[in-house]
Amino acid sequence: MANTSSAKKMVRKIARRTAVNKSRRSRVRTFLRKVEEAIASGNKAAAEAAFKNAQPEMHRAVTKGVFHQKTVARKLSRLSSRIKALAA
């Protein structure tokens, strides 16, 4: 257990930061789930709309340090290609 004042403060800061990051990660996953459900239903218009809403959320998670930039780029690329494949 932390026994110096600076260590105790760091414990509080880390707890706050963890809660914020958990909230952001959950929010991104919710947006991704909506895209996945739209793709699974085969509705291209709904999938494109959900994808358009998910993109800025994922990029925001990158700027906040929740996800790595290349991870988000890979996920968006794969989702985009799956949406494009719906028409074919």
Side-chain angles (χ1 to χ4, degrees), residues 23 26 28 57 76-77:
S23 169
S26 173
V28 168
E57 283 299 325
L76 288 174
S77 174

Side-chain angles (χ1 to χ4, degrees), residues 26-36 50 53-54 57:
S26 173
R27 184 172 165 84
V28 168
R29 287 180 181 149
T30 301
F31 276 91
L32 285 177
R33 184 178 45 77
K34 289 178 182 175
V35 177
E36 291 285 347
N53 290 334
E57 283 299 325

Side-chain angles (χ1 to χ4, degrees), residues 1-41:
M1 184 61 205
N3 56 0
T4 63
S5 60
S6 61
K8 288 176 183 175
K9 181 177 179 180
M10 282 306 297
V11 168
R12 292 193 305 270
K13 282 171 61 176
I14 290 168
R16 259 197 314 271
R17 197 178 308 140
T18 300
V20 169
N21 285 342
K22 188 181 282 189
S23 169
R24 287 187 178 130
R25 198 167 28 250
S26 173
R27 184 172 165 84
V28 168
R29 287 180 181 149
T30 301
F31 276 91
L32 285 177
R33 184 178 45 77
K34 289 178 182 175
V35 177
E36 291 285 347
E37 288 173 354
I39 290 172
S41 71

Side-chain angles (χ1 to χ4, degrees), residues 24 27-29 31-32 51-77 79-80:
R24 287 187 178 130
R27 184 172 165 84
V28 168
R29 287 180 181 149
F31 276 91
L32 285 177
F51 182 72
K52 194 171 183 178
N53 290 334
Q55 269 183 311
E57 283 299 325
M58 294 187 73
H59 287 301
R60 191 170 299 119
V62 170
T63 62
K64 301 298 182 183
V66 179
F67 289 115
H68 193 273
Q69 184 176 0
K70 289 188 177 182
T71 303
V72 168
R74 182 181 66 244
K75 287 182 181 290
L76 288 174
S77 174
L79 282 173
S80 176

